Amino acid sequence: MSDNANSVNIKHSARGYHHGALRPALIDAGLTLLDGRAVDDLSLREVARRVGVSPTAVYRHFPDKQALVGALCEAVANDLAAEQKAAHDTVMAAGGSLRAAFAAMGQTYVRFALAHPARFRVMMSAAPPVAPSDMVRPDGEQAVNRAMQQLRACVAELLPPDASDKARDIAAIRAWSLVHGMAMLMLDGMIPPDEAIIGSLNEDLDLLGSATAR
Amino acid sequence: MSDNANSVNIKHSARGYHHGALRPALIDAGLTLLDGRAVDDLSLREVARRVGVSPTAVYRHFPDKQALVGALCEAVANDLAAEQKAAHDTVMAAGGSLRAAFAAMGQTYVRFALAHPARFRVMMSAAPPVAPSDMVRPDGEQAVNRAMQQLRACVAELLPPDASDKARDIAAIRAWSLVHGMAMLMLDGMIPPDEAIIGSLNEDLDLLGSATAR
DNA sequence: TGTACATCAGTGAACGCGCGTTCACTGATGTAC
DNA sequence: TGTACATCAGTGAACGCGCGTTCACTGATGTAC
């Protein structure tokens, strides 16, 4: 879905696109444009332009710009989830430990962020920053969280059977925080995007896993 | 500097502000406006408006908007550094361990982000997101890093004397990543901003300290 | 102490820009009889 | 098979908006003689 397919020229008839073909094309164009632009520099008009369609046409498929961005967010979350799953499965298929598979997922997370900074950021913008007054999650942006279920599931398996649900939650949050923080600091240029640093996650994730087992 | 001082009405003469008084007032107004707006919704014109000055006046003190934002970034970094130092010193003064002081700094970091989401974000935007082509840090935005020296210094003290420089770097990066990731995930509404979760940093930072000591 | 003058922090009007969104419309597609 | 018609995904012009930045300017301040 996020493949760099040249989404222009998929017109097939004078009418325009085959039924339902414009929506995925718009999402694809949006993702492609995000490789080079900052998140806030992405405009509805630009997406339409890239697909070769008038800005108005977008409104046939999304109620407004926010909905378009929401669709982008979901697409990115799905891509990341797929890459994480692949990393996990590859390690397991090669006879690796569950912990090794867990670490591989974390490293995939960071590498994904580095490979697609703006996509990664738009994914995190799904849930709008908490407003000062309402800290409650506005729900509806659960695509990312769905993607994170894998991580939770993996963490849960790493913990001893008698671990409480709360212990599992905390462990997952710790792991996600570590990996997410490293990704963000690298994206923001605060720490160098070195593979050596990403590699150090192997040990950390291990630690986080065993530590919470207590 | 970031205190919520009412920066309007500091005019003293028909001429306008006392020599050099506008610049800090603009920074102060910018910080205040960031409590309620998203980072990208902050405009130069709005900052000027709040101080009660024409947009053009800003250009007497900053070459362009980016310079204004850079000044905001630096101010926030200094505020955070001050709060971290205070947290550290308070623990130490109460006879706490160096590790406890270290953990207190980390928790202060997260709480600061929660208290001032947009300020925190503008601080991280100091270094523009790494462009696809040039991964090199554009330097000049070292205010944040200067603020992080404290953390590095504290981590260094926690490590055994024979630890290599690289080990110290990695340890500091781990700690910063964990704490930063938690802050960002909370700001983005991905995990609840619970004090219980922030409290769990006590154990984690401990672990990171001892783990890297190996 | 007074006058002439350079400095410089402000003003206010204007610019061009791209944006998200709305409107009335067009014309091909697919369906009912 | 042919005709009438509803559907609906597109068009293109237009809107109002606030933005960052520029321009020529004004007028108080501080200094030199």
Side-chain angles (χ1 to χ4, degrees):
Chain A
M1 174 177 286
S2 70
D3 288 345
N4 209 352
N6 190 351
S7 49
V8 187
N9 294 332
I10 61 169
K11 290 185 179 183
H12 288 129
S13 69
R15 179 189 181 172
Y17 296 83
H18 276 325
H19 247 108
L22 220 209
R23 190 185 146 105
L26 288 169
I27 293 175
D28 215 76
L31 293 177
T32 303
L33 284 171
L34 279 179
D35 293 335
R37 230 150 305 273
V39 182
D40 312 276
D41 296 349
L42 182 77
S43 72
L44 178 149
R45 297 179 93 108
E46 191 174 18
V47 172
R49 227 177 285 134
R50 167 159 255 265
V51 175
V53 116
S54 76
T56 325
V58 178
Y59 289 85
R60 286 284 150 197
H61 303 273
F62 301 97
D64 53 20
K65 188 196 176 183
Q66 181 183 304
L68 209 207
V69 173
L72 291 179
C73 155
E74 190 181 329
V76 175
N78 289 338
D79 284 355
L80 172 55
E83 286 196 20
Q84 276 187 161
K85 185 174 187 314
H88 173 278
D89 292 354
T90 298
V91 170
M92 293 304 279
S97 68
L98 189 62
R99 295 209 165 154
F102 182 53
M105 285 177 70
Q107 295 175 349
T108 296
Y109 187 93
V110 178
R111 293 197 190 102
F112 183 92
L114 289 177
H116 308 288
R119 294 192 194 190
F120 183 76
R121 295 184 122 106
V122 88
M123 182 182 82
M124 297 321 280
S125 76
V130 284
S133 52
D134 98 303
M135 278 298 204
V136 185
R137 198 98 63 68
D139 119 332
E141 78 294 336
Q142 287 159 346
V144 183
N145 276 294
R146 235 184 294 122
M148 290 308 127
Q149 291 304 336
Q150 308 181 2
L151 181 141
R152 289 185 118 75
C154 201
V155 165
E157 281 190 77
L158 280 172
L159 295 186
D162 62 323
S164 68
D165 277 4
K166 197 191 158 215
R168 293 173 199 279
D169 277 355
I170 294 276
I173 285 175
R174 283 167 166 170
W176 193 7
S177 291
L178 177 61
V179 139
H180 184 70
M182 184 174 290
M184 290 303 293
L185 289 175
M186 285 178 173
L187 287 190
D188 283 334
M190 297 295 167
I191 62 177
D194 291 349
E195 189 63 31
I197 296 175
I198 299 176
S200 81
L201 284 174
N202 252 307
E203 306 154 22
D204 277 333
L205 292 177
D206 231 41
L207 275 168
L208 288 172
S210 60
T212 35
R214 123 186 63 116
Chain B
M1 176 176 287
S2 71
D3 289 343
N4 210 352
N6 189 348
S7 50
V8 187
N9 293 333
I10 62 168
K11 289 186 179 183
H12 290 130
S13 69
R15 177 184 181 175
Y17 297 83
H18 275 325
H19 245 108
L22 221 207
R23 191 187 145 105
L26 288 168
I27 294 175
D28 216 76
L31 293 176
T32 303
L33 284 172
L34 280 179
D35 293 334
R37 231 150 303 276
V39 184
D40 311 274
D41 296 349
L42 181 77
S43 72
L44 179 148
R45 297 179 92 106
E46 193 174 16
V47 173
R49 225 176 286 133
R50 167 160 256 265
V51 176
V53 116
S54 75
T56 325
V58 178
Y59 288 86
R60 285 284 152 195
H61 302 273
F62 301 97
D64 53 21
K65 187 196 178 185
Q66 180 184 303
L68 209 207
V69 172
L72 291 179
C73 154
E74 190 181 329
V76 175
N78 288 337
D79 285 355
L80 172 55
E83 286 197 20
Q84 277 187 159
K85 185 174 187 315
H88 172 278
D89 292 353
T90 298
V91 170
M92 292 305 277
S97 69
L98 189 62
R99 293 208 167 153
F102 182 53
M105 284 177 70
Q107 295 176 349
T108 297
Y109 187 93
V110 178
R111 293 196 190 103
F112 183 92
L114 291 177
H116 309 286
R119 294 191 194 190
F120 183 75
R121 294 184 123 107
V122 88
M123 180 182 82
M124 298 322 280
S125 77
V130 283
S133 52
D134 98 303
M135 279 297 204
V136 186
R137 199 100 62 70
D139 120 331
E141 79 292 338
Q142 288 159 345
V144 184
N145 276 293
R146 235 184 294 123
M148 290 311 127
Q149 290 305 334
Q150 307 182 3
L151 183 142
R152 289 185 118 78
C154 200
V155 165
E157 281 190 75
L158 280 171
L159 296 186
D162 62 321
S164 67
D165 279 3
K166 196 189 158 216
R168 294 174 198 278
D169 278 355
I170 294 277
I173 286 174
R174 283 168 167 170
W176 192 8
S177 292
L178 177 61
V179 138
H180 185 70
M182 184 175 289
M184 290 303 293
L185 289 175
M186 286 178 173
L187 287 189
D188 283 333
M190 296 297 167
I191 61 177
D194 290 350
E195 190 63 30
I197 296 175
I198 298 176
S200 81
L201 284 175
N202 253 305
E203 305 155 23
D204 278 332
L205 293 177
D206 233 41
L207 275 168
L208 289 172
S210 61
T212 36
R214 122 187 61 112

